[in-house]
Amino acid sequence: MTDLSNEIEFTIEKQARLLGSFSIECVIVGGVAATLHGSEIPTTDLDVCYARNPSNLEALATALKSVNARLRNAPAESVYHGFGNSSSRLKLHLFHNHR
């Protein structure tokens, strides 16, 4: 396994642990789910579908705030509003330095 592969694996695990530590009701979908079922296609993000009940949305916002996460193309002041009004799918991207 390469250093980049190790870094990606560690980061995805860290993101999954974040969701677990805040008891986010969600399921893993996308590339990570496919990998867990035997796919050999690499992925660099964690896709989840989350429950849209008010307590889960609050927990999700709190979890994302704890790591200074930002929604793409959203004004900073509205970063955590609208989770309940949009798709219940969330894509957590990895940020790493390419060497």
Side-chain angles (χ1 to χ4, degrees), residues 45-58:
D45 62 356
L46 177 65
D47 298 298
V48 297
C49 288
Y50 54 89
R52 295 170 65 177
N53 60 63
S55 62
N56 198 57
L57 295 174
E58 182 64 34

Side-chain angles (χ1 to χ4, degrees), residues 34-93:
T35 299
L36 292 172
H37 286 280
S39 173
E40 295 183 16
I41 299 173
T43 185
T44 60
D45 62 356
L46 177 65
D47 298 298
V48 297
C49 288
Y50 54 89
R52 295 170 65 177
N53 60 63
S55 62
N56 198 57
L57 295 174
E58 182 64 34
L60 179 58
T62 300
L64 294 175
K65 285 178 187 177
S66 78
V67 293
N68 298 315
R70 297 287 178 259
L71 294 176
R72 190 182 297 174
N73 300 321
E77 64 275 3
S78 66
V79 168
Y80 303 104
H81 300 291
F83 279 133
N85 300 325
S86 63
S87 166
S88 61
R89 185 168 179 174
L90 178 66
K91 182 178 286 284
L92 301 175
H93 288 276

Side-chain angles (χ1 to χ4, degrees), residues 2-43:
T2 67
D3 287 344
L4 182 57
S5 295
N6 287 334
E7 183 179 346
I8 290 169
E9 183 178 322
F10 172 77
T11 304
I12 289 174
E13 180 179 340
K14 187 175 175 182
Q15 292 170 341
R17 286 186 187 280
L18 172 72
L19 296 173
S21 70
F22 283 87
S23 300
I24 306 301
E25 297 174 45
C26 63
V27 294
I28 296 172
V29 297
V32 170
T35 299
L36 292 172
H37 286 280
S39 173
E40 295 183 16
I41 299 173
T43 185

